[in-house]
Amino acid sequence: MKVRLICSGFGGQGALTIGKFLAKASMKEGKEVTWLPSYGPAMRGGTANCSVIFSDEEIASPIVNTPDVVIALNQPSVDKFEPLVVKGGVLIVNSDMCPNGTKRKDIRVIEMPMSRVASDMGSMKIVNMLAIGIFIEATKVVKHESVEEDLVAFMGEKNPDLLELNMQAIKKGMEFAKE
Amino acid sequence: MKVRLICSGFGGQGALTIGKFLAKASMKEGKEVTWLPSYGPAMRGGTANCSVIFSDEEIASPIVNTPDVVIALNQPSVDKFEPLVVKGGVLIVNSDMCPNGTKRKDIRVIEMPMSRVASDMGSMKIVNMLAIGIFIEATKVVKHESVEEDLVAFMGEKNPDLLELNMQAIKKGMEFAKE
Amino acid sequence: MAKMTVDPFYCKGCGLCMAACPKKLISFSKGINQQGYHYAECTDQSQCIACKMCYQVCPDVAITIEK
Amino acid sequence: MAKMTVDPFYCKGCGLCMAACPKKLISFSKGINQQGYHYAECTDQSQCIACKMCYQVCPDVAITIEK
Amino acid sequence: MKIIATRPKALSDRQFTYCPGCLHGVAHRLIAESMDELGITKKCIGVCPVGCSVFAYRFFNCDFTSAAHGRAPAVATGISRSRPDSIVFTYQGDGDLAAIGTAEIIHAANRGENMSVFFINNAIYGMTGGQMAPTTLAGMKATTSPYGRDVNDVGYPIKVCELIDSLEAPVFIERVSLLDAPSIIKAKKAVKKALQYNKERKGFSLVELISTCPTNWGKDAVEATNWAKKEMLPVYPIGLIRDKGAK
Amino acid sequence: MKIIATRPKALSDRQFTYCPGCLHGVAHRLIAESMDELGITKKCIGVCPVGCSVFAYRFFNCDFTSAAHGRAPAVATGISRSRPDSIVFTYQGDGDLAAIGTAEIIHAANRGENMSVFFINNAIYGMTGGQMAPTTLAGMKATTSPYGRDVNDVGYPIKVCELIDSLEAPVFIERVSLLDAPSIIKAKKAVKKALQYNKERKGFSLVELISTCPTNWGKDAVEATNWAKKEMLPVYPIGLIRDKGAK
Amino acid sequence: MSKVLMKGNEALGEAALRAGCRNYFGYPITPQSELIEYMAKMLPKCGGKFIQSESEISAINMIYGAAGCGIRCLTSSSSPGISLKMEGVSYCAGAHLPFVFVNVVRGGPGLGDIQPAQSDYFQATKGGGHGDYHLIVLAPASVQESADMMFKAFDLADKYRIPVMILTDGLIGQMMEPTDFPPMKTDDEIKALREQHKSWCMHPRDEEDNSDKNVIKSFEIDPQKLEENVEALYKKYDVIARNETDWEEDNISNDNEILFVAYGTSGRIAKTVVEMYKEEGKSVGLIRPKTLWPFPYNAIKKAAKNVKKVFVVELSKGQMVEDVRLAIEGMTKVDFYGRSGGMVFTPDDVKNYVDSKLGEVK
Amino acid sequence: MSKVLMKGNEALGEAALRAGCRNYFGYPITPQSELIEYMAKMLPKCGGKFIQSESEISAINMIYGAAGCGIRCLTSSSSPGISLKMEGVSYCAGAHLPFVFVNVVRGGPGLGDIQPAQSDYFQATKGGGHGDYHLIVLAPASVQESADMMFKAFDLADKYRIPVMILTDGLIGQMMEPTDFPPMKTDDEIKALREQHKSWCMHPRDEEDNSDKNVIKSFEIDPQKLEENVEALYKKYDVIARNETDWEEDNISNDNEILFVAYGTSGRIAKTVVEMYKEEGKSVGLIRPKTLWPFPYNAIKKAAKNVKKVFVVELSKGQMVEDVRLAIEGMTKVDFYGRSGGMVFTPDDVKNYVDSKLGEVK
Ligand SMILES: Cc1ncc(C[n+]2csc(CCOP(=O)(O)OP(=O)(O)O)c2C)c(N)n1
Ligand SMILES: Cc1ncc(C[n+]2csc(CCOP(=O)(O)OP(=O)(O)O)c2C)c(N)n1
Ligand code: SF4
Ligand code: SF4
Ligand code: SF4
Ligand code: SF4
Ligand code: SF4
Ligand code: SF4
Ligand SMILES: [Mg+2]
Ligand SMILES: [Mg+2]
């Protein structure tokens, strides 16, 4: 099994954090995984992104040029990475921040108004978890229990109510991806 | 023709200057010539020295290990360089500064009490020219006119009386070497 | 009569001009500029006294004052 | 009673002790030491007042004073 | 109506690469305005440092060079000594000038090189993500002083103007603030005087401009200016330190 | 009779490599005497510079290291921070400390590193044959200021104690003279105090010792001390600059 | 020990702490800053000393002092900062000082950019500083290997009294991978580390200790003595070359048609290309040098015996390729593919180049 | 022009002045000090600017400023001081800046000693600084050649906008030999030199001059652009290698039994050995590279065609020998003889070594 993910958005939208959570979860399940951030000009151009590879065997090059899955949190990210998605791949989009939508027909596109859903659920901070929920459901690469275990460890004491919200967001995302 | 000279003495005794004067004179006569000073520990050990090579063709290595002629202005210089003189070579010594004298019999040794002669002639500064006079006479490598030309150019205006003294010292040295 | 104009090309919506304007005439625009920022606008030119305070503090030299 | 001795091993004949001695008791030796310098000597120990001025100024710490 | 304030001609038309609210931009304007008013833009040669202002060469309409970290005063010396009819100025951050560039700034100042040095003190390393600078305040957190700067372990904030003031040759040394409009207006005078003396070949001028770094201070633009007024100004007193040019 | 003055135990028995009349030797004696009197020789670690005192490691009976030109304060920082129970001192010339080593001395002083810095100001580069130093006097000839130092072109003699005095952390700063017996006796007190505060881990001390270089000044030993008294002392005033250790 | 997801730069710091390093001196520079920031956070917690020096030059000289006291110490920087350390490194090598320093290489020359590169190979292995000297140079290709090599680096430095450089790059430094670490050295072990070099290092002594004084220096005014010191260095280098040369072989066999030689990030990318050729049924071998000095000349010569062509791939204009040519001594053709300025080639880029060249050879 | 007896270091200074160089920035260090002292004495007399900088680092950065203004400028140092300039040199190379700098090499590593050596070859030709770059490196073997090469260095620097290093050593620097100099450039010529680079260099403009502004920098935040700059550098390097590679052949012929390859001081000594063999009736050839970069690979390969053995002699532990091996590609055996630490071998030392090795080959 080898799945390549690119996760992209504005600096501060949490694209890099989504990648880290998924990578940690996959590591917990004993998989080989690499997480690689992009730096420099990308940051300024509004497409700060990370590449994550989930694999059973040792991962050679950590660079992703033909992603199986792309999570795009803003329009510049859609414009830059949609063309790279392999045929039959998955494109997860936060439609609130992508006014011009997507173009390709030969891939599975999952568009969710994440910002609005998040603010309805009470905090913009959980946009990441919505995207993670969709990813888990759409790709089955990691189990949601692994992600949740990590979340508990990460913010169990510090921020229990945000933890609760995050857990709901993951479920919300998974349900959304089911339809 | 290729003649190798080592000229050695205390820092400040003018050993390096003797070498420069002879090199300049030889250059004036159209010869190839190299002048190379020794540095560092030698200076502290009382054997600041220079190597001069006079030749008709291009000079390859400027380093002298088997000198044809050695001018030794003090005892440490005699001790260090006497053994290196080629058989049949010339060793010119300032006997005033070399209490233990010389050992070798297979070379021509010219010992002159240069300090006393110089002070008798009125200035310790002319010790160099005595040595130069002896060298000119003993080796015929350079003509005394060339050396004198240089001296005139060098101290003609600045110091005419010292110039006069120097000229006499050269002649004195040449005569001494004749006996 | 005075006129304060903000060039949306340069403004990064930092808010320093708003704090500096003695007449509190400046606020954020509705729309976002090409860099994705809500830019500053003078809400009431008639009140503007061309004191140039906003111009002085603007780190992106986005403001022009006429009098 | 005082005693000023110069160790010829260290002395470089710089003359600073001679200038410093209030009693002008120090002068150069006849012979030269192993490094080739004329070294300093106290010419009249009886006059020495062990004021240690010579010791203070000696850059090669060649002087020992006893009292 | 007539335009009484707009972008100086000496400023290029490119967008600044600085974060929103970063006062580097104000310093740029003051320099550009002075260049316009003194009519020297075509004679000016600027030297920018390594730091967030590494891109400054894009923002001025005069010849420019980007120097290695800390070396701008030496580069400016080379320029001033080879094209003596140029008006050379350096634009440096606090890490650039007061850490790695300490020897260069002191010796350029001591030689009395004919240049104007504009020194932006934002008490932090901006470009590399918020590390401690020699000007970081006591107790102030930064990524390389995560527990707050311990002055007993890593020393006190360095007062550059006072340090340079111990040297004989410098002609003009002043510390100014960019933290509010009145201060900026006063700062403009100092910036202009530094370039004036340069034009009259009077020698070495240093202007220290107290500035902010909202991004790495974790504050928005306005909070940052307030924090700087409250915390930085007591440590870095504003005012004229020396002006031998007037005579 | 009893010996009341002889070679200190902390001095090794090797002949100094300095020229006749060079006051480096006096500075060595004062340090060695202080080490004896404070009983700290076994705890001491010395750092010698690049200059005529590059051989200083041969003349002291304690551990020593020879640092790259100008870097002794940084090397001493590394030693002091890794063996905190050692008493670290640096011994530096004016080219070493005030030219290439400017950043190192200022930042070691600013951090308040626990060390004693002995700075020999002989207004010239001795080892390399008499080039101009930052401390070379106005109008003074040297092989790289053959027409006399032109202060309008290459700046004024740098007053290191005053420069360091602009920093907060240093505990003790004094300038002394080795030019005659009474001064040497006073200098000894300062040298001993610098090592005393070091032993009590009070932080950074700097002692500047005005010295001579007969060989490159073209004077004999006595003339050199007289010249220095007449010419150097007015430029480098002797006296205590700061002593925060006593409190 | 359960694995942790960690950045390459931070894994280097964590491994150094566990190896007993309690002194860090450094200066911030991208893409190395996570390492200095990690040490700033962690050292105070375990009684260590952290200093952000005023420059990279004062940092390497602080190292000269600490290593001269026989203390495990670390410094790190990226390309421009490493160039500033060249005089200091030459001094440390000449004084036989043991310490570890990291170069997280970025695009050059000059101020360059902050992207990953391998264009400092010559500086690291042939000598960026003056005079005859060498460093042991280790080249990790993963976060796990970065940690393992940091441990090994301190042991090698102490064993041979030699500076050890870890030559990594911005990509490995910024990448996160699951990593596990050996346990932290115990207090006793750390105490022993402070004692191990007391025969030659500077250290304060108790009153009753009358051992000879120790002097740390890199000069001899007498050239004969300096030559003796250089000969001693080179005798040591021969022993190291014999004992410590290290490389990884991937799919090396007698029926290899092509041999790749690549290290670090290029080594990982070449591995993907080996797999791509395997899928096409073509036998391609890879030698990945793990020690860049001492360089695995013999292993490469052996592996290249009966291949048609050797391809060297580097993130530079070709520097290690010269050492590969020295190993092969003209026996087989050696070709080079590289990208410079911080650009990173993809496995396809490499394969397309090799395919284009194979066409010629058939 | 009548010959003058002059020291190597001073001949370099005199030639620079005659070549129109009016700006010197440097710091004293043995065995280079005569050059900086000569410039201190002479520059003020011809309206030039001399600065003794506070360190070698500020000197190379003053050069960066002056060369950035298109002005002929010179700096010089010896080994440790050159190591301190490595960051600056990498910046200058990246910014395509023309200037000349001299390394009067001394025994190393570290503080080493002040005797002559050749142990900075790698630093000069492979790159002591970070990133992909090269310098033109000229190696004089006499005082006359030092002067001639200084003239050529300034012309090459201006022609290719590249830093040019003159790699000499303490012996050639301190030696005096009869030397003649081309005439001093006229004021007009010097004025023209200040104008030649105005299309790219920084310079004050008159009011009516509306030409675009010039920027001197060595960085591109976008790696694609930085790669383009590196490619431009390497295109230039190919042209230089084709046009400017220079070497001297001594007694090269098809019946050479042995080939010597040696530069600078070692080149002179090897020449004496060639003569010694000639007296023994043995045909021995010598290639003396005059440009160490670009290196005369082809000339050496051709001259080594049918010799039994190639001997490389250097005042180091063997650095240029690697480039000779790269040239020969295993075609013939390459042997090395060298002394380090500032020791200088004699012609007899070299001959004895070669004779001992020839015994084996027969
Ligand atoms: C020799 C060297 N060391 C370190 C760096 C990395 N670096 C780039 S910017 C910077 C600090 C800039 O801080 P400052 O000078 O205060 O400028 P600011 O960004 O705050 O304006 C550093 C350390 C470098 N490029 N070169
Ligand atoms: C990096 C470097 N630059 C220059 C030198 C050459 N050098 C040796 S000693 C010296 C000057 C010493 O002068 P100072 O520090 O005043 O000491 P003094 O000899 O006067 O006591 C210099 C420049 C060097 N060894 N290393
Ligand atoms: S000119 Fe003055 S009154 Fe007008 S908007 Fe600006 S700050 Fe306000
Ligand atoms: S100060 Fe300038 S950049 Fe900031 S909001 Fe106002 S106009 Fe925009
Ligand atoms: S102790 Fe005093 S009186 Fe005696 S010799 Fe010395 S200086 Fe003179
Ligand atoms: S001061 Fe010392 S070295 Fe000088 S002459 Fe007197 S005893 Fe000798
Ligand atoms: S990081 Fe700080 S200094 Fe740099 S641009 Fe942003 S606010 Fe300004
Ligand atoms: S050269 Fe000067 S400083 Fe050096 S030992 Fe001689 S007198 Fe002393
Ligand atoms: Mg800053
Ligand atoms: Mg000095």
Side-chain angles (χ1 to χ4, degrees), chain C residues 3-67:
Chain C
K3 187 154 178 283
M4 178 280 213
T5 35
V6 175
D7 184 340
F9 175 71
Y10 292 111
C11 174
K12 290 185 183 140
C14 73
L16 282 173
C17 57
M18 294 147 202
C21 175
K23 299 283 182 185
K24 294 300 162 217
L25 302 173
I26 313 171
S27 64
F28 288 110
S29 67
K30 283 287 154 295
I32 56 171
N33 65 9
Q34 184 250 358
Q35 291 185 42
Y37 297 112
H38 292 283
Y39 49 90
E41 281 172 339
C42 177
T43 52
D44 184 351
Q45 292 292 1
S46 68
Q47 295 289 332
C48 171
I49 56 168
C51 67
K52 296 198 285 182
M53 289 301 122
C54 54
Y55 171 81
Q56 289 292 352
V57 299
C58 174
D60 285 276
V61 207
I63 296 176
T64 297
I65 311 283
E66 294 160 280
K67 193 173 160 199

Side-chain angles (χ1 to χ4, degrees), chain F residues 18-19 22 24 52 122 126-127 212-216:
Chain F
Y18 304 113
C19 310
C22 172
H24 267 302
C52 286
N122 61 8
M127 180 73 163
T212 61
C213 176
T215 302
N216 288 306

Side-chain angles (χ1 to χ4, degrees), chain H residues 275-292:
Chain H
E275 275 154 45
M276 293 160 84
Y277 276 115
K278 209 180 273 177
E279 277 144 29
E280 290 183 4
K282 198 187 283 295
S283 170
V284 169
L286 162 67
I287 297 256
R288 179 171 70 85
K290 292 166 73 174
T291 56
L292 299 182

Side-chain angles (χ1 to χ4, degrees), chain E residues 16-247:
Chain E
F16 288 158
T17 47
Y18 305 112
C19 309
C22 171
L23 300 183
H24 268 304
V26 176
H28 283 34
R29 175 174 61 78
L30 298 186
I31 294 171
E33 273 179 14
S34 306
M35 288 164 72
D36 284 356
E37 290 161 23
L38 293 166
I40 55 173
T41 304
K42 294 216 170 156
K43 299 289 181 205
C44 279
I45 299 182
V47 185
C48 56
V50 171
C52 285
S53 48
V54 68
F55 298 109
Y57 68 89
R58 298 181 181 174
F59 310 132
F60 290 90
N61 288 332
C62 63
D63 283 0
F64 237 92
T65 182
S66 136
H69 196 31
R71 317 305 174 187
V75 173
T77 300
I79 295 169
S80 169
R81 296 276 180 157
S82 52
R83 298 274 183 193
D85 43 3
S86 61
I87 295 177
V88 195
F89 67 91
T90 77
Y91 186 98
Q92 300 178 256
D94 37 13
D96 193 87
L97 181 139
I100 191 168
T102 307
E104 280 73 15
I105 189 67
I106 284 184
H107 283 278
N110 193 61
R111 287 190 302 266
E113 298 288 346
N114 194 62
M115 63 177 68
S116 321
V117 174
F118 300 115
F119 163 46
I120 310 298
N121 178 353
N122 61 7
I124 202 147
Y125 282 14
M127 179 73 162
T128 35
Q131 294 82 14
M132 182 181 74
T135 44
T136 294
L137 305 184
M140 183 176 168
K141 286 210 167 80
T143 58
T144 49
S145 58
Y147 310 108
R149 177 176 189 167
D150 171 1
V151 290
N152 300 321
D153 186 36
V154 296
Y156 294 79
I158 291 190
K159 298 181 163 87
V160 170
C161 288
E162 288 74 357
L163 189 68
I164 298 296
D165 190 31
S166 79
L167 303 173
E168 193 67 35
V171 171
F172 170 57
I173 306 172
E174 181 162 356
R175 181 179 292 123
V176 298
S177 150
L178 300 177
L179 301 177
D180 54 42
S183 312
I184 292 170
I185 293 166
K186 262 202 247 92
K188 163 66 182 296
K189 292 199 188 68
V191 166
K192 187 171 178 180
K193 187 187 284 185
L195 286 170
Q196 174 79 36
Y197 286 165
N198 193 333
K199 181 178 173 181
E200 295 160 0
R201 309 201 59 70
K202 284 190 170 149
F204 185 88
S205 306
L206 167 69
V207 179
E208 177 175 349
L209 304 98
I210 301 301
S211 184
T212 60
C213 176
T215 303
N216 289 306
W217 290 1
K219 294 176 171 57
D220 71 33
V222 177
E223 282 163 5
T225 51
N226 297 338
W227 181 84
K229 268 189 219 159
K230 189 163 151 294
E231 301 294 337
M232 286 182 76
L233 296 190
V235 179
Y236 302 109
I238 298 304
L240 178 66
I241 311 261
R242 168 193 302 187
D243 183 358
K244 296 203 280 191
K247 278 190 249 55

